[in-house]
Amino acid sequence: MVIRPISRTEHLVPGSSAPRPGPASHAEDQTDLLSHLRSLERAHAGALHGAGVATGLTVHAAGGAASVRVGPGVAVDRAGRHIVLAPGGRAELAAEPEEESRLVPVTELGVEVPLAGHGGQCRLALRWRETFDKALWDAEGQRVFITHQTPWLFLTPATGTPADDDVVLATLSLTDDGQVAAEGVAPGDRSGPTVGATELELRATGTSSPAGGETVVSERAGAVLRTDLAGGFTVRSAGGTTPGLALTAGGDLTVGGAAAVTGALEVGDRAAVDGQLTVGGAAAVTGALAVGDRATVDGQLTVGRAATVTGSLQARSVAAGAAVTAGGSVTAGGSVTAGGSVTAGGSVIAGGSQSAGRVHVQDPTGRTGLSVFSDGGSGSVWVRNAGADAVVLEGAAGRVWVNGPDWRQLGGNAARYMQSVWLSADAGTSLADVDLGAPRQFTAFVASCGNDPRNAFDRSHAIALDIFRVDGARTATSFFGGDHWGANGQDSNVLARTFWGQGRVITFRARSFAAASVLGIGVVFYE
């Protein structure tokens, strides 16, 4: 668009609020029209709305027809001028209107545009045009001066870039004798206006009942859409009044940068986000999901096909119809379920069940070919390496906790060390330490080898084995409550059954309640 200076005639006496005496001249009226009103129109439409079809201007074409019909409507050209094809007005159809004009009336159905003299690929275009009403001027003794907007509809070869003054309505495929070919109409270069704004506030119509017993029908701000220089977008509630704002796309969702949604995300087909994806609620994608950076979903992530994330993936739970692949870690408070494999460049952590296929944790060194997989229903997790025996990491149902880069010490060519300690308790508590001699990177787990109640085993009986301390620091709670385990945060809780980190002294604990004995083992793998 061309930005023009804006000027107007001053109709008040300078320095006062009194109108100027005498009539305004035609020259002053011309200044007000061209330099003020029309310049404002162009600045407003061009800068805030952009060029294209604003409403209507539908193109109706049938195969074999010798004309097409353009319905009433409004467009804006690149100069910011409004082009209005309105019933009761007239449109210009001449090929060269400056030489010979051919004005036709615009009906409620629009205008029929003949195709004679054209063939091949053509653009049907609209251009801003005005026509002085000379017939009225002559009829009124040359005392009435009226100019009408008469939009120009014409066809031009569909080659190159459309002219700046043209608003394209459709692309037509015509036979050599000027008829519409079968399936011979397409949008082509047709487009709508492009709104330029830092933020876009979306409003919805609804009712409210404020104090006083009235019912009020009004429009209220519901959501705000904001973009960034990287091509991403953020959707949030307007004014913070809606805690969880949802985004629903009936077809594909494609974002060139990051995408952040405070509520739920629902996509009817595939979703592709080049940057980060952040969703405050659940996310459901019917097709495939591809994220160029990390993905964080506060609720459940459900993907109908494959889910591929270049960075880390974190969700309350993950369910995919095909493979789940992440360049970083995969973390879920609930289950991780996939119709294919689950592949991660870092750790795979899940509080529920695992993949129906194979769970792969890649070792960045490329030395060990490490992989992790579920044993098919019991929830046990195994680490297997080529040329090495399988090692059970944890037997607790439905838990996966594997840290790929640091498991390289389990590889066939790397050094590996293990210490273990037997645990036993009889109607009491016993502790046993494994001292690594110095702080080291390690993985520890505890397992029960058997228990022996000396009378009927009932609610008063209980046994527990856990990792009680690492260098004197309490480990995380696994579960609490009931008759035996106490309130959350107490040492009576059942603490970690597995632990991965750094330390020197790992303290295992065995407990037995009432007349029962328990036997277990604590195992530490370390560098």
Side-chain angles (χ1 to χ4, degrees), residues 415-496:
R416 57 179 176 181
Y417 306 95
M418 184 192 79
Q419 290 192 42
S420 63
V421 60
W422 287 106
L423 306 169
S424 65
D426 186 3
T429 300
S430 67
L431 303 177
D433 291 342
V434 170
D435 189 341
L436 304 181
R440 301 174 186 273
Q441 192 75 28
F442 72 90
T443 295
F445 71 89
V446 64
S448 172
C449 298
N451 67 86
D452 182 20
R454 289 186 292 280
N455 51 38
F457 201 87
D458 57 22
R459 187 171 181 80
S460 64
H461 296 77
I463 60 172
L465 297 103
D466 55 15
I467 302 170
F468 185 49
R469 295 280 193 271
V470 174
D471 291 339
R474 180 182 185 275
T475 64
T477 296
S478 293
F479 55 88
F480 59 90
D483 294 339
H484 305 290
W485 314 127
N488 189 17
Q490 297 181 355
D491 282 350
S492 57
N493 300 165
V494 177
L495 303 184

Side-chain angles (χ1 to χ4, degrees), residues 37-269:
L37 295 177
R38 188 160 289 173
S39 294
L40 278 177
E41 172 202 17
R42 293 186 178 188
H44 176 270
L48 297 183
H49 302 293
V53 177
T55 185
L57 299 174
T58 54
V59 177
H60 303 262
S67 66
V68 295
R69 176 166 55 86
V70 178
V74 179
V76 178
D77 67 12
R78 289 185 176 86
R81 296 175 295 192
H82 293 78
I83 307 174
V84 182
L85 190 69
R90 290 186 294 175
E92 179 65 71
L93 295 184
E96 300 291 342
E98 296 297 339
E99 298 178 4
E100 183 180 1
S101 176
R102 184 159 68 92
L103 296 174
V104 298
V106 181
T107 69
E108 295 291 337
L109 297 178
V111 177
E112 288 288 337
V113 180
L115 306 176
H118 299 278
Q121 293 289 311
C122 296
R123 290 191 185 103
L124 174 60
L126 180 71
R127 186 177 293 184
W128 183 92
R129 182 173 175 80
E130 290 183 335
T131 302
F132 176 67
D133 196 334
K134 187 175 182 301
L136 178 63
W137 183 64
D138 290 337
E140 296 295 329
Q142 300 182 347
R143 293 189 301 272
V144 178
F145 298 78
I146 298 293
T147 294
H148 304 285
Q149 187 178 107
T150 52
W152 181 21
L153 287 161
F154 60 96
L155 281 88
T156 183
T159 57
T161 303
D164 287 343
D165 290 340
D166 295 352
V167 176
V168 177
L169 303 182
T171 296
L172 303 177
S173 296
L174 305 179
T175 61
D176 292 340
D177 56 353
Q179 295 183 350
V180 179
E183 299 181 357
V185 61
D189 294 309
R190 178 177 176 133
S191 65
T194 301
V195 177
T198 303
E199 288 188 348
L200 180 62
E201 182 180 271
L202 306 177
R203 300 175 182 176
T205 301
T207 60
S208 60
S209 300
E214 295 181 330
T215 298
V216 178
V217 178
S218 63
E219 283 70 44
R220 287 174 289 171
V224 174
L225 178 64
R226 186 181 182 92
T227 188
D228 56 40
L229 293 178
F233 72 89
T234 300
V235 182
R236 62 175 175 83
S237 59
T241 57
T242 307
L245 186 66
L247 174 64
T248 302
D252 292 355
L253 172 66
T254 304
V255 183
V261 183
T262 59
L265 171 66
E266 183 176 349
V267 181
D269 204 330

